[in-house]
Amino acid sequence: MTTIAGNLQQVKERLWRACDGASRGSAEVTLLAVSKTFGPDAVRQAHAAGQTAFGENYVQEGVEKIALVAESLPRAAIEWHCIGPVQSNKTRLVAAQFDWVQSVDRLKIAQRLSEQRPPELPPLNVCLQVNVDGGPNKAGVPPAELPALAEAVAALPRLRLRGLMCIPEPAPDFESQRALFALARAAYDDLHARGHALDTLSMGMSEDLEAAVAAGATMVRVGRAVFGARAPKPVASPAA
Ligand SMILES: *Cc1c(COP(=O)(O)O)cnc(C)c1O
């Protein structure tokens, strides 16, 4: 029988082996459990098994789940990450409800998030999404434009720039996966060299977390390997 607790244990063992293989300490890589399309009970089960950081792709679905989970767990028990596209008309919700946003790729969105972050909350943690494989229609900022965006975002008062996130196209084998992740790692190192104090390189999912860890990920975002297969279409709420 597979359970969320059992799946979590297996993912952690994969992470430990990957860290070991890359001569990295297992404490260097955080696991973000991607709970999109799964209900609040799945989040509660994972939390009961020790998982505290959760990622959501769809703002409306995430906000509803945050409220439902908060009925039985203190809000501060869970760190909620928005990892999907953020449209202008959703920035107020995201700024008020999430702890992190990993998918910022435009200054305009960052400015709105900073302006709309409620004063009683700590600054919103932000990663810039970088488009490492250069597809013209993909989300994410091209690596060449990162330094300017990072500088502008770092100056916003109610955001805290933590690092980079990327979602490369699926690649067929370990070495080609690692080569794509290495591009994000190079961009991350470049921002460090420019004086940004970053601590988060978010990359790697259920299929390719080993390659991401080998390339230097500090956070992997894992959905199916923790919660099981998703329904083919997102379970979108009518308002989403
Ligand atoms: C869905 C998703 C994940 C998790 O993907 P799995 O293949 O289920 O592990 C990670 N990151 C983002 C941005 C996602 O949308």
Side-chain angles (χ1 to χ4, degrees):
M1 194 183 82
T2 58
T3 62
I4 288 173
N7 290 345
L8 269 172
Q9 185 60 28
Q10 281 183 6
V11 169
K12 281 183 201 156
E13 283 166 14
R14 279 176 66 188
L15 273 177
W16 292 332
R17 277 195 297 275
C19 286
D20 204 44
S23 303
R24 304 180 60 200
S26 56
E28 290 177 42
V29 185
T30 304
L31 173 61
L32 182 73
V34 177
S35 43
K36 66 183 178 205
T37 78
F38 292 91
D41 282 338
V43 173
R44 288 191 200 101
Q45 282 177 47
H47 178 266
Q51 180 65 28
T52 54
F54 292 83
E56 288 289 331
N57 269 62
Y58 311 101
V59 173
Q60 196 65 40
E61 177 194 339
V63 165
E64 287 166 16
K65 205 174 301 177
I66 290 170
L68 289 169
V69 171
E71 288 175 3
S72 59
L73 284 173
R75 174 64 184 81
I78 292 189
E79 191 176 85
W80 286 102
H81 294 235
C82 176
I83 60 174
V86 179
Q87 314 297 339
S88 297
N89 62 356
K90 292 280 161 51
T91 52
R92 189 174 296 281
L93 270 178
V94 170
Q97 301 294 333
F98 283 86
D99 303 297
W100 287 65
V101 186
Q102 298 198 8
S103 39
V104 170
D105 63 0
R106 285 184 290 154
L107 182 56
K108 182 183 157 211
I109 295 294
Q111 285 167 333
R112 290 175 66 93
L113 290 168
S114 181
E115 283 161 15
Q116 294 169 347
R117 181 68 168 169
E120 68 277 12
L121 296 178
L124 184 62
N125 297 291
V126 164
C127 289
L128 303 179
Q129 183 172 348
V130 55
N131 177 359
V132 286
D133 35 19
N137 302 319
K138 280 187 62 178
V141 60
E145 294 169 24
L146 261 181
L149 181 61
E151 198 170 322
V153 169
L156 293 171
R158 298 291 291 142
L159 303 185
R160 182 164 167 221
L161 181 60
R162 299 293 295 265
L164 299 181
M165 183 271 263
C166 72
I167 318 173
E169 286 301 313
D173 57 73
F174 182 89
E175 279 312 324
S176 36
Q177 291 165 358
R178 182 162 72 172
L180 288 173
F181 289 132
L183 297 172
R185 172 60 195 257
Y188 181 74
D189 289 344
D190 176 62
L191 293 183
H192 264 286
R194 292 171 188 268
H196 294 284
L198 308 178
D199 62 7
T200 303
L201 181 55
S202 170
M203 56 189 192
M205 315 198 283
S206 292
E207 304 293 339
D208 55 13
L209 67 89
E210 284 84 1
V213 168
T218 70
M219 184 181 290
V220 294
R221 308 179 308 270
V222 181
R224 288 166 298 148
V226 171
F227 294 107
R230 283 185 293 274
K233 280 222 161 178
V235 185
S237 64

